[in-house]
Amino acid sequence: MNSTTSPIHSASLSKCMLIGGGIALVLITALLLTVNNPSPNWPKYWMIRPLIIVPLAGATGGACYYFLDHLRYQGGWKKVLAYILSFLVYLIGLWMGTILGLDGTLWD
């Protein structure tokens, strides 16, 4: 039996998470490269923490985008709502990940 229905998700979960985490990695790397003179009070490898936590937060935002995909296929106001919710969850997650990642260093 051949099915003519298309899959609900146009992209895989891992692809959405990689894109979300990649965007977050680029943003946090750009921020960290602006630090010229780190405080001597900071740990020796202080950059590792934000380089791990912020992309994880971005990947979580990418997963949210994936899980709201069923609303986008319904069209109309639900499609707009899904895009707005995805964007807000991504921004809030990125903000929280940045705070957690930079706590004790740039975010004191």
Side-chain angles (χ1 to χ4, degrees):
M1 176 180 206
N2 291 335
S3 176
T4 59
T5 60
S6 62
I8 291 177
H9 301 291
S10 58
S12 67
L13 174 61
S14 58
K15 183 178 179 181
C16 290
M17 291 179 74
L18 282 172
I19 291 171
I23 292 169
L25 180 63
V26 167
L27 292 175
I28 195 64
T29 302
L31 177 66
L32 293 177
L33 289 176
T34 64
V35 178
N36 294 327
N37 300 316
S39 173
N41 297 331
W42 297 350
K44 184 176 181 181
Y45 299 107
W46 68 273
M47 283 187 176
I48 292 177
R49 183 173 166 188
L51 287 173
I52 293 172
I53 293 177
V54 176
L56 284 175
T60 304
C64 175
Y65 178 86
Y66 174 83
F67 288 121
L68 289 175
D69 206 17
H70 68 281
L71 285 177
R72 279 186 283 283
Y73 278 96
Q74 293 178 12
W77 66 271
K78 291 181 181 180
K79 181 177 182 178
V80 174
L81 178 67
Y83 279 117
I84 291 171
L85 276 175
S86 296
F87 184 72
L88 287 176
V89 167
Y90 187 79
L91 281 182
I92 291 170
L94 197 62
W95 175 65
M96 290 173 59
T98 302
I99 290 172
L100 287 172
L102 296 176
D103 183 40
T105 56
L106 290 176
W107 199 282
D108 227 357

